[in-house]
Amino acid sequence: LKAFSNNELIELPPDSTDSKNVWHLFPILINIDKLKISRDEFIDALNKENIGAGIHYNAIHMEPYYVNKYGTINGLDRAEYVSKRTLSLPMQTSMNENDVHDVINAVNKICQYFKK
């Protein structure tokens, strides 16, 4: 959280003193309006830096099953906004401090390289 706190191209997960986060995922939202690439292209760039990232989760109403069963659902703008911008960074117990710094450096490098 501290390493990304000054990066205006990333929105971090809330971290409240009123509750305890179990941190089973480390999702970030990238500001695609200020980047030259999409979320999927950001993930591809991370992969090229040997950083595996995932998508947790797409907006469920946009998944093929729901679209085929219910058709297009309008009015879920926030879900679509988050879905287009969210990705999960690697976070597992096998990571050491160097691995953590590799992830941080790769994210910041990609943000700077693709900044509009």
Side-chain angles (χ1 to χ4, degrees):
L1 291 170
K2 186 177 178 182
F4 294 132
S5 64
N6 292 324
N7 188 333
E8 75 278 359
L9 301 174
I10 296 174
E11 184 178 333
L12 296 170
D15 187 31
S16 172
T17 56
D18 297 339
S19 61
K20 185 172 176 131
N21 194 323
V22 296
W23 296 112
H24 73 291
L25 295 174
F26 194 87
I28 62 170
L29 278 93
I30 58 169
N31 188 337
I32 59 174
D33 300 325
K34 293 184 179 180
L35 290 169
K36 299 174 192 170
I37 58 175
S38 69
R39 184 266 323 264
D40 293 343
E41 292 167 322
F42 196 99
I43 291 172
D44 289 342
L46 280 172
N47 288 332
K48 289 176 183 167
E49 296 290 325
N50 294 315
I51 306 297
I55 301 171
H56 300 100
Y57 301 85
N58 284 321
I60 197 163
H61 73 284
M62 297 171 68
E63 292 292 334
Y65 172 82
Y66 284 87
V67 172
N68 291 334
K69 185 167 176 87
Y70 302 109
T72 301
I73 300 172
N74 296 315
L76 299 173
D77 298 340
R78 181 65 182 164
E80 292 177 19
Y81 176 92
V82 170
S83 185
K84 291 177 184 176
R85 291 163 175 79
T86 191
L87 62 108
S88 294
L89 297 177
M91 184 168 181
Q92 56 248 15
T93 57
S94 62
M95 292 176 68
N96 61 37
E97 196 164 329
N98 288 335
D99 296 330
V100 172
H101 288 291
D102 287 345
V103 172
I104 292 165
N105 292 335
V107 169
N108 287 330
K109 174 183 175 181
I110 293 164
C111 284
Q112 290 309 307
Y113 186 80
F114 290 105
K115 185 177 181 179
K116 285 184 180 177

